[in-house]
Amino acid sequence: MAMIIDGKQIASEIREEIKSEAAALKERYGAVPGLAVVLVGDDPASAVYVRNKGRACEEVGFASFQHTLPAGTPMRELVSLVDELNARSDVDGILVQLPLPGHMDESAIIDRIDPGKDVDAFHPANVGKILIGDEKGFLPCTPQGCKVLINRAVPDLKGRHLVVVGRSNIVGKPMAAMMLQKKKDADCVVTVCHTAAPDISYYTRQADILVVAAGRPNTITGPMVKEGVVVIDVGMNRIAHPDDPSKTKLVGDVKFDEVEKLASAITPVPGGVGPMTIAMLLSNTLKAFRMHREGS
Ligand code: GUN
């Protein structure tokens, strides 16, 4: 039976640490880290994410600035808002919730955000820093959260085979780049597999650590993993509840019941990677504040 990696508990410990650091910074500077979150349109899931991010900020004593624009907002108005937030000294981090409405050019908006305030780490300047292992940049929240969980579960990663399923810009690609750095808390041999592979199980069976960000339930089943593997399930899929079709249930990308029997450690869904993502957003906002105040 696998050890269940309690992301909820670990995230709560990290949030407590951030809260006391924010209090110390307030003493020293008379100011607290500030995060601006921008939501365009009324996608209900995005609205929930944005609300949770604002709430998490308040809980650790950060300032939170929420900007909600109608779905039909012209692109230039969003650009102006980003420019305004870039210039504000009380805003350390800027997050524009994705996806944006179809008429907007997402990459143009991401490019417009000051890389020093880009707490999502989606700006090409930060993506480049991830690839070369420059720690002055930000790390994207979800893969950073996965990395913290992996580092706790596996103290020595040197030469271990980490397999990532999924090649998204938000999770798969940065995850791979982060874990292959020649650093004490990384140094893995990394394989990325994805939908073009004729048989992903060829790769997943070789994994010492398996990070699954495929966006599809039951992507990984028992026969697809090696005994003793550490499994990080990034999936968040809302499906009809198997016992009551009038309800829904949140499941990951991994067939938990099967894989748990073989793994040495595994994240649950919910309560695994999900809570870590917001903790890392707060951590990045704290880092941004320090960079702005202390230049480090
Ligand atoms: N939409 C889904 N995940 C994310 C995220 O991590 N950041 C932003 N900005 N939008 C998202």
Side-chain angles (χ1 to χ4, degrees):
M1 274 300 198
M3 173 188 80
I4 307 298
I5 301 173
D6 190 347
K8 195 172 166 191
Q9 174 60 29
I10 295 169
S12 134
E13 287 164 20
I14 293 170
R15 282 155 73 144
E16 280 304 315
E17 283 164 27
I18 292 172
K19 188 175 179 173
S20 32
E21 286 179 48
L25 290 170
K26 190 175 181 181
E27 281 282 307
R28 193 175 325 152
Y29 296 107
V32 294
L35 175 68
V37 180
V38 181
L39 173 65
V40 187
D42 43 22
D43 175 63
S46 289
V48 171
Y49 294 142
V50 165
R51 200 177 325 124
N52 288 343
K53 287 166 187 172
R55 204 172 287 159
C57 277
E58 283 149 24
E59 274 169 22
V60 295
F62 288 7
S64 150
F65 309 100
Q66 207 136 316
H67 296 264
T68 305
L69 306 176
T73 301
M75 169 84 178
R76 64 183 147 69
E77 280 185 28
L78 180 58
V79 170
S80 303
L81 175 59
V82 169
D83 288 347
E84 184 191 308
L85 297 171
N86 281 340
R88 267 173 61 176
S89 62
D90 56 343
V91 171
D92 298 288
I94 302 170
L95 183 149
V96 178
Q97 185 67 26
L98 303 179
L100 289 171
H103 68 283
M104 287 193 172
D105 178 350
E106 275 186 6
S107 68
I109 293 297
I110 290 169
D111 288 357
R112 194 84 181 186
I113 296 172
D114 174 351
K117 296 191 176 188
D118 171 38
V119 287
D120 261 331
F122 293 166
H123 190 286
N126 284 314
V127 177
K129 285 179 180 169
I130 297 161
L131 198 60
I132 61 177
D134 179 345
E135 291 173 10
K136 291 192 292 296
F138 296 104
L139 295 175
C141 302
T142 300
Q144 191 185 353
C146 296
K147 182 167 184 294
V148 170
L149 297 179
I150 294 167
N151 287 139
R152 290 197 178 209
V154 189
D156 184 12
L157 287 169
K158 186 174 181 172
R160 306 303 292 276
H161 189 191
L162 183 135
V163 176
V164 182
V165 181
R167 55 174 152 179
S168 69
N169 290 337
I170 295 188
V171 185
K173 285 183 202 165
M175 187 82 237
M178 284 156 61
M179 300 315 292
L180 66 78
Q181 300 301 324
K182 192 167 181 175
K183 294 184 182 179
K184 213 166 72 61
D185 59 356
D187 218 6
C188 292
V189 173
V190 175
T191 297
V192 183
C193 59
H194 46 76
T195 45
D199 175 14
I200 64 163
S201 74
Y202 171 79
Y203 304 98
T204 60
R205 275 199 302 268
Q206 298 176 46
D208 298 316
I209 299 125
L210 183 62
V211 179
V212 190
R216 190 173 54 109
N218 303 324
T219 300
I220 303 297
T221 59
M224 296 172 74
V225 302
K226 177 169 80 175
E227 203 172 336
V229 64
V230 171
V231 180
I232 307 294
D233 187 351
V234 185
M236 287 242 268
N237 307 291
R238 201 157 272 291
I239 60 163
H241 200 289
D243 306 325
D244 181 355
S246 71
K247 292 198 180 122
T248 62
K249 184 180 180 208
L250 194 63
V251 296
D253 292 346
V254 174
K255 203 159 191 184
F256 187 87
D257 306 354
E258 288 185 13
V259 174
E260 181 213 16
K261 294 191 179 80
L262 296 155
S264 61
I266 186 168
T267 58
V269 177
V273 173
M276 295 297 289
T277 297
I278 287 193
M280 296 302 109
L281 175 65
L282 299 173
S283 169
N284 280 350
T285 306
L286 188 70
K287 177 175 176 162
F289 178 89
R290 288 221 169 93
M291 289 191 324
H292 298 144
R293 305 271 160 170
E294 301 166 357
S296 64

